[in-house]
Amino acid sequence: MKIKYFLAIIFLSLFLVGNSFAFQKVGTTSFQFLKIMTDARSTGMGEAFTAVANSSNAVFWNPAALIKIEHMDASASYLDWLLDISHSSFSFAYNLSGIGTIGVQGLFTNVGQIEVTTVDALGFVDGKYNPGLTGETISPGALSLGLSFARQLTDK
């Protein structure tokens, strides 16, 4: 009898946990700009780039691949995306001869200008419907900076 209750509790808890992970709030997530690919080569390969990264762009895909850089390498990218969104990235790697390779990366996304809306501004003004516009605009963006270090531990 105790086993039935125990199994019922486990089944119920797994069911409830599974449903809570399926719930997503649309429009309330952050760091989505990190999913945008940073350069044309990795985009053309459909993000299957981890094993072949051999430039400073490796900091975005596989920082361990920085050891393939012999002296130094730099890369910059600008993408004019949909609906006035722009995405910029840069990477730089420098081999510290015998110590390892250090890499620096940066991503910046500019969403453009968005009109501010509030629930308080909803309604009719002078016979015209106002969908909540306040007359203000904002220019949201996102920034990510990173530092990487790679060192070959063995000659194998």
Side-chain angles (χ1 to χ4, degrees):
M1 190 70 170
K2 290 182 182 181
I3 293 175
K4 288 182 182 179
Y5 286 123
F6 182 70
L7 290 175
I9 290 172
I10 289 178
F11 178 74
L12 185 61
S13 64
L14 288 176
F15 179 74
L16 292 174
V17 168
N19 284 340
S20 67
F21 285 122
F23 179 70
Q24 293 180 357
K25 291 184 177 181
V26 177
T28 59
T29 60
S30 57
F31 299 107
Q32 294 298 309
F33 74 102
L34 296 175
K35 293 180 179 179
I36 301 172
M37 293 180 251
T38 58
D39 63 328
R41 184 176 177 210
S42 59
T43 303
M45 295 180 69
E47 292 188 51
F49 197 67
T50 304
V52 295
N54 59 359
S55 65
S56 62
N57 278 329
V59 294
F60 298 111
W61 304 99
N62 181 11
L66 289 175
I67 61 168
K68 297 178 183 177
I69 296 172
E70 294 180 11
H71 183 58
M72 77 173 168
D73 188 57
S75 176
S77 174
Y78 175 79
L79 175 64
D80 192 11
W81 224 42
L82 307 168
L83 303 171
D84 294 334
I85 298 172
S86 63
H87 184 74
S88 305
S89 66
F90 73 89
S91 61
F92 176 78
Y94 184 74
N95 190 333
L96 300 171
S97 60
I99 299 173
T101 304
I102 191 165
V104 178
Q105 68 184 11
L107 290 170
F108 177 71
T109 300
N110 182 6
V111 179
Q113 291 193 350
I114 299 174
E115 295 178 332
V116 177
T117 60
T118 63
V119 176
D120 298 334
L122 285 172
F124 288 93
V125 178
D126 296 331
K128 294 182 182 178
Y129 179 71
N130 182 6
L133 298 174
T134 63
E136 300 175 11
T137 59
I138 58 171
S139 297
L143 173 68
S144 169
L145 299 173
L147 181 67
S148 301
F149 179 76
R151 181 174 180 186
Q152 190 166 350
L153 299 176
T154 67
D155 60 347
K156 305 267 187 239

